Amino acid sequence: MEQVFSYIISLGASVMMPIIFTIIGLCIGMKFGKALKSGLFVGVGFVGLGVVTALLTTNFNDPLKGISDLYHLQLNVFDMGWPAAAAVAYNTAVGALIIPICLGVNFLMLVTKTTRTVNIDLWNYWHFAFIGAVAYFVMGESLLWGYFAAIVCYIITLVCADLTAEKFQKYYDLDGISIPQPFCQSFMPFAIVFDKLLNLIPGFSKLDIDAEGLKKKFGVLGEPLVLGVIVGMLIGWAAQLDIKKILFLGVTMGAVMELIPRITSLFIEGLKPISEKTQELVKSKFNGKKVHIGMSPALVIGHPTTLVVSIILIPVILALAVFLPGNQFLPLASLAGMFYLFPMVLPFTKGNVVKTLIIGLVALIVGLYFVTDMAPDFTMAANHVFAATQDKAAEIPEGFSGGALDFASSLFGWLIYRGVKLEYVGMGILAVITVGLMFINNRRIVKEDREAKKD
């Protein structure tokens, strides 16, 4: 069974997702042609995102490393990017069975009314497998600890997906959809806290500028495309490249900013028919009760505010990473994952560029320290996986520790990691928090169902 799931994962999202979503479409009663079309659109979306990510990482890795060498930046945690984190996640006994186990947990939570979300974002289950794999190695290759950490992360994420579903659906105009991806959901507490704090500052409300307002205020300079060109050229200039390469980097970064929203529209075109059909089916089986379909945050990363804030934060976080005391991580390969920081922030900031920028900056600074703190155990897990599989994605350069912005920088991942390090005391604390959140969500769901019956 483990070998079967490992093989399926090895196919990659671009192959795995069309197959999975075509099968899901058929299972929920869609005609074969429509199910296949939806699945292929999802696959094309993943291929497109892969191409754009490759544009960013392939063309900017060398200039960014050049900047590190030119200015003698001494940061010892090497950015492995999400492929290393996914390799660590799936190349263990925990990762091999994470999909069926989490689907089982999801079913039990639906039955016990502790969630409304049906999580079909199967590709991103690697996040749960990742924290489970780290816990597995930290605790001496213990499956008990590995699955405990993964399941705790899964349950907390499903509850958060429920709690944020209404705001998400209203802001993005995507009825019936929630985002059960732990990296995105882990920034939701930052959004809630700092949105309230910023509202307390006198006069801050005058800085209520969304992406469209930015375009009106700064004209063409407020366009994500133009901002991308400017930032790309600045990176080339800082790396002391010739004018031809500087211009090339500018156009490449601009292309990334322009292509992402076009690609995300393919996800929406593929996933919406499946979401709508699933809602019809689930409502009929659950007597009309509300159910959310858990989807990938790739649906919404093309939002203009996300693009503008991400492009501004890239040079800012690179500069700050060098000077922050105690930080040892310089994000390079992981920069493409920065877009996924904001899907659950924007519904709370209502797309306000200034608020989103501040929240993103705080979350990223804290995230750098999370990656630095987790680096020794990330390195241990990656070394084990590389020794067992020879998977190049998990190979860490000699003399460095390994890290990744993707999920290793998240609040959920770090808190669960630290809980595991406390052993059984931490297990008890995490269990109490998890059960408490399930209880709160259950009370909320039962209350909503009761009120729906009255209507």
Side-chain angles (χ1 to χ4, degrees), residues 42-71:
V42 174
V44 169
F46 270 105
V47 169
L49 276 184
V51 170
V52 171
T53 300
L55 265 180
L56 199 60
T57 54
T58 302
N59 291 295
F60 283 87
N61 264 2
D62 286 342
L64 290 170
K65 287 177 184 175
I67 291 170
S68 181
D69 294 336
L70 274 170
Y71 301 101

Side-chain angles (χ1 to χ4, degrees), residues 94-109:
V94 176
L97 293 173
I98 198 68
I99 291 177
I101 286 173
C102 284
L103 287 175
V105 171
N106 198 165
F107 175 75
L108 289 174
M109 290 180 70

Side-chain angles (χ1 to χ4, degrees), residues 193-205 349 354-356 358-359:
V193 171
F194 282 92
D195 181 66
K196 291 185 182 299
L197 289 175
L198 292 171
N199 286 337
L200 296 175
I201 299 174
F204 195 88
S205 59
T349 63
V354 180
K355 277 186 180 179
T356 305
I358 292 170
I359 293 167

Side-chain angles (χ1 to χ4, degrees), residues 73-86:
L73 307 181
Q74 300 298 316
L75 298 171
N76 299 322
V77 179
F78 184 80
D79 186 0
M80 305 288 289
W82 75 264

Side-chain angles (χ1 to χ4, degrees), residues 204 207-215 222 227 303-306 308-309 312 342 346 349-360:
F204 195 88
L207 297 175
D208 187 7
I209 305 172
D210 60 11
E212 289 302 316
L214 200 67
K215 292 178 189 177
L227 282 171
H303 191 281
T305 298
T306 292
V308 168
V309 173
I312 294 171
F342 300 105
L346 265 58
T349 63
K350 296 180 175 63
N352 183 315
V353 171
V354 180
K355 277 186 180 179
T356 305
L357 183 64
I358 292 170
I359 293 167

